[in-house]
Amino acid sequence: MTTSSAIDPKALLPAAPARRGILMILWGPHAFRKIVLEPGQSITIGRTDRADVIVDDEKLSGMHLSLWFSGKRAVVRDLDTPLGTAIDGQRCSRGVIEHGGFIVAGNTTFQLFLEGFTPAVEAPPSVARLEQIERVRRALGPADGGLWAVVDAARDERARWLLQESVDDHHNLFEGPPGRVLDDVAPYLVRFHAGSDLLERLLYAGWGNAWGVFLRSTESPKEVRRHLRRFLMVQDEQTNERLYFRYYDPRVLREFARVITPRQREELLVGLERVVYEEDDGAPVVLAPTRAGSA
């Protein structure tokens, strides 16, 4: 990953032709799971431990398909299974998929993405923009597994593309089939790990455009997601009506932070070290728990 002291603007533009692949489970028992592929790597996928990648899908054969990734595209081969494999919508024994291509095997749909395929920006950022993002990065801290974001796909379709084209895990905060219907406009929880350039790509493309908010937590992914889901719906104190709360929109959080009560602040920040969001001028704002003994 580029460091905050040496950001390379070229990393935000299209990468070299050969790059890692991300085979993401789009639909099925392990939705949003990502299988990272190195150029030249071959894998097998199936239901049993005979396969390199095990997918708990009762409709899959023990060894269902093989895949070889070149760095630009993948060659997919059905391993003579009773139910077969569909490659880009065609049931066949062998085929090739490129960025955005689909594989359907059993009850599971896979989609292939090339890492960093979509340019985050159209041109290298200005010196002022570099300095602004540097200030934001200092407020966020390192991408070390303890840095998260809630990214609003409704703000720009590129937001979802950047998430899909990254090795970092991301999940729709909405639950179940009704939530999946809203994939195109859902809030997504993403966790940043060292070795990925997703943080830079999201910051340069989305900071200042209300793409989402960032937070730090050492809690498990399950606990962070459970906690953040609590605030997707709130109850109006006067009408008792249940309303969507778009707290992950920094414009909404900015207004809420101005009127938040101590109790609401405590509830929102349980398990979180801090939440970072953008001011209307692009400056980073930090919302942190009130420390014992502080005013």
Side-chain angles (χ1 to χ4, degrees):
M1 171 177 290
T2 52
T3 64
S4 58
S5 60
I7 297 172
D8 181 6
K10 294 180 181 178
L12 306 171
L13 300 175
R19 37 190 134 183
R20 288 189 291 184
I22 297 105
L23 187 65
M24 191 178 86
I25 296 181
L26 189 64
W27 293 94
H30 303 281
F32 294 105
R33 177 183 174 187
K34 293 180 178 180
I35 302 157
V36 180
L37 304 166
E38 298 291 342
Q41 183 179 3
S42 296
I43 62 170
T44 55
I45 298 174
R47 184 173 45 82
T48 68
D49 58 9
R50 292 187 297 143
D52 298 319
V53 176
I54 302 171
V55 177
D56 186 18
D57 178 346
E58 62 181 9
K59 296 295 185 180
L60 285 180
S61 295
M63 291 268 285
H64 197 101
L65 63 90
S66 67
L67 181 147
W68 177 77
F69 178 65
S70 72
K72 297 180 181 179
R73 55 188 62 88
V75 177
V76 183
R77 184 165 65 91
D78 180 81
L79 299 178
D80 298 322
T81 60
L83 297 180
T85 300
I87 303 171
D88 274 345
Q90 298 295 318
R91 194 162 296 277
C92 52
S93 60
R94 186 180 184 277
V96 176
I97 58 172
E98 300 190 345
H99 177 79
F102 291 89
I103 305 167
V104 178
N107 290 325
T108 303
T109 300
F110 303 86
Q111 189 171 11
L112 178 69
F113 299 98
L114 300 184
E115 186 178 20
F117 183 84
T118 299
V121 293
E122 295 182 356
S126 65
V127 172
R129 183 64 167 162
L130 287 170
E131 293 174 346
Q132 179 188 56
I133 298 304
E134 174 67 11
R135 291 192 294 271
V136 176
R137 287 210 48 155
R138 288 198 295 268
L140 297 180
D144 55 2
L147 178 63
W148 310 70
V150 180
V151 179
D152 185 2
R155 291 294 299 156
D156 191 312
E157 62 183 359
R158 287 182 302 154
R160 191 175 174 208
W161 297 347
L162 296 186
L163 294 180
Q164 292 169 329
E165 296 166 12
S166 166
V167 299
D168 291 306
D169 294 327
H170 76 282
H171 293 274
N172 187 336
L173 280 181
F174 294 145
E175 282 282 276
R180 294 305 307 274
V181 172
L182 300 174
D183 272 357
D184 289 344
V185 294
Y188 287 89
L189 176 64
V190 56
R191 185 184 190 186
F192 301 100
H193 293 279
S196 167
D197 63 1
L198 177 61
L199 177 59
E200 268 78 16
R201 288 165 59 77
L202 283 176
L203 287 177
Y204 281 98
W207 187 268
N209 296 316
W211 274 27
V213 300
F214 294 82
L215 54 111
R216 293 204 67 89
S217 176
T218 57
E219 297 288 342
S220 69
K222 181 178 180 180
E223 284 302 311
V224 172
R225 186 170 185 270
R226 181 196 62 79
H227 176 70
L228 295 175
R229 276 185 43 76
R230 288 180 54 204
F231 305 101
L232 293 175
M233 297 291 295
V234 296
Q235 186 170 329
D236 186 289
E237 294 182 353
Q238 296 181 338
T239 66
N240 290 326
E241 182 181 4
R242 287 181 61 78
L243 307 169
Y244 281 105
F245 180 29
R246 291 176 50 82
Y247 65 87
Y248 47 85
D249 184 326
R251 299 166 299 179
V252 174
L253 186 58
R254 200 155 58 222
E255 295 302 317
F256 180 61
R258 294 189 176 110
V259 298
I260 195 171
T261 67
R263 179 179 177 182
Q264 289 171 331
R265 184 189 188 103
E266 180 182 351
E267 290 178 349
L268 178 64
L269 296 173
V270 168
L272 307 181
E273 296 176 10
R274 60 184 178 273
V275 175
V276 182
Y277 59 95
E278 65 199 47
E279 190 52 270
D280 52 11
D281 62 357
V285 181
V286 177
L287 186 65
T290 302
R291 304 301 179 187
S294 62

